[in-house]
Amino acid sequence: MEKNTRLILALDVLDSDEAIRISEAVTGHVDAIKVGYPLVLASGLQIIGKLAEYASIIADFKVADIPNTNRLICEQVFDAGADAVIVQGFTGHDSLEICVDLARERNKDIFVVTEMSHPGALDLMQDAGEKIARMAADQKASGVVAPATRPERVKEIRKIIGNELAIISPGVGAQGGSAADTIMAGTDWVIVGRKIYQSDDPAKAAKDIVSEIKDVL
């Protein structure tokens, strides 16, 4: 994924026509579109291929199962047209390794969740986050997910993984994270959802965030 705008749209709408309209509007203003269970369950897996016409697609399925099941899930998602899959790391090295190996075979990407952006992630995830980051680096995943709501954690994760892996960071906008602060903390891409897709002018909302990012680069 090329660093053109350093912005990823989290598209958590339910209607396929709305998803296509928003994706078309933000074309050129985002480097990727992150699609999760809400849209896919409502619109079918085929929505991935439709949205892939507008930007690279990251399937945010937070895959977390035994190795064989993980592989089966990732195969279906890649076959549908996704360029990357987000997986959980807490299931262990073998479950992660099989996803990374498949992605390498397909010339695709795997991003590994270290910590999530909501307050509840502090209950358990932060304690494991640094170990997961090290595992992601050891397995040579494409990158990790670290929270824009806690830029100090982005800095710590960056120290662990170095510059070989990318960081993508959700939580900018509705959750209170700052695009500029997160970029300065060391992330490669910020992920923004409601601030863009709930806007009356998604293209303008995306452009405004890109301008904020460019101001600190």
Side-chain angles (χ1 to χ4, degrees), residues 54-159:
Y54 304 103
S56 296
I57 301 298
I58 300 173
D60 185 7
F61 289 172
K62 295 184 178 67
V63 181
D65 215 307
I66 65 169
N68 186 61
T69 304
N70 275 9
R71 182 181 179 91
L72 292 172
I73 294 170
C74 289
E75 283 178 340
Q76 293 299 310
V77 176
F78 288 144
D79 287 347
D83 299 287
V85 179
I86 293 176
V87 306
Q88 293 282 12
F90 64 76
T91 48
H93 71 278
D94 51 350
S95 290
L96 174 58
E97 182 179 17
I98 202 165
C99 297
V100 172
D101 286 348
L102 175 64
R104 193 172 291 119
E105 291 171 14
R106 301 286 190 93
N107 196 28
K108 304 288 187 177
D109 293 312
I110 294 293
F111 292 97
V112 186
V113 177
T114 59
E115 300 170 29
M116 294 171 69
S117 54
H118 64 301
L122 295 173
D123 294 344
L124 297 170
M125 294 190 76
Q126 188 165 295
D127 291 341
E130 294 179 9
K131 290 182 180 179
I132 292 172
R134 291 189 188 96
M135 183 172 62
D138 289 343
Q139 296 286 348
K140 295 181 171 56
S142 301
V144 300
V145 182
T149 48
R150 293 183 289 280
E152 71 280 3
R153 296 303 297 158
V154 175
K155 289 181 181 179
E156 290 303 312
I157 297 299
R158 175 57 75 196
K159 290 177 185 177

Side-chain angles (χ1 to χ4, degrees), residues 18 20 34 79 106 129 137 141 161 183 212-213:
E18 183 183 9
I20 291 169
K34 183 172 74 71
D79 287 347
R106 301 286 190 93
I161 65 172
I183 289 288
E212 180 184 348
I213 293 169

